[in-house]
Amino acid sequence: DADVTQTPRNRITKTGKRIMLECSQTKGHDRMYWYRQDPGLGLRLIYYSFDVKDINKGEISDGYSVSRQAQAKFSLSLESAIPNQTALYFCATSDPQGALETQYFGPGTRLLVL
Amino acid sequence: DAKTTQPTSMDCAEGRAANLPCNHSTISGNEYVYWYRQIHSQGPQYIIHGLKNNETNEMASLIITEDRKSSTLILPHATLRDTAVYYCIVLFAGGTSYGKLTFGQGTILTVHP
């Protein structure tokens, strides 16, 4: 079984709808991240969490919110989806005992906002 | 974080070693070299990282020049499944890059039968 899972894998939604992307991990890592990837723009960090009580904004947090329900679960919500939020979304984890930049990624959620 | 330069694309025959170069001439003494790869539409995958010494793990070897201005990722026996975009990243582990990965354009490695 995969260490980092994301659901759904694909999602089509309409402008103005609220949607949630979920991430679960079995690696036992405290640190979790949400990124989006757009063609030609590489990865951009949306939010990150270093433990259940610690949530931090990344470089592009506007229009997004997160919830860290447990050590193993980190959800990303789009409060009111807009077309420019169409992207590939990745969740990642890292080990507090290791280098922060050694991150383990999920398979991604492909989101299309119409 | 130091800027990196990688070739846009490279080819390699299956079973041969793939040597992917990366230039990072402005690297500072406390910056690490990290390598990730991304197979089409999959999540990025950590490969290896190093500071000064050469490193080897089950996936690859990382050779860093003595002046640390360049490095080479070596996949010793490339397979078709190694076809991916390979990203070389130089950053200070901690500080302003705290947990934030920034990928450039990377090198598209194509492994041929």
Side-chain angles (χ1 to χ4, degrees), chain A residues 21-39:
Chain A
L21 309 182
E22 299 190 0
C23 176
S24 295
Q25 53 112 347
T26 59
K27 299 187 74 68
H29 291 170
D30 285 331
R31 293 168 176 163
M32 299 186 73
Y33 311 82
W34 275 104
Y35 292 89
R36 64 177 280 177
Q37 187 174 39
D38 301 271

Side-chain angles (χ1 to χ4, degrees), chain B residues 26-76:
Chain B
T26 60
I27 192 170
S28 64
N30 55 4
E31 289 184 309
Y32 287 76
V33 179
Y34 275 76
W35 283 85
Y36 279 78
R37 73 180 182 183
Q38 188 171 19
I39 297 169
H40 181 64
S41 293
Q42 296 184 20
Q45 180 185 22
Y46 165 77
I47 302 173
I48 199 167
H49 74 280
L51 182 62
K52 295 180 181 178
N53 299 322
N54 298 337
E55 302 288 344
T56 296
N57 63 20
E58 65 279 5
M59 289 184 68
S61 295
L62 174 61
I63 308 298
I64 303 174
T65 58
E66 191 169 347
D67 64 7
R68 301 187 69 242
K69 293 183 184 299
S70 66
S71 60
T72 301
L73 178 74
I74 301 172
L75 307 178

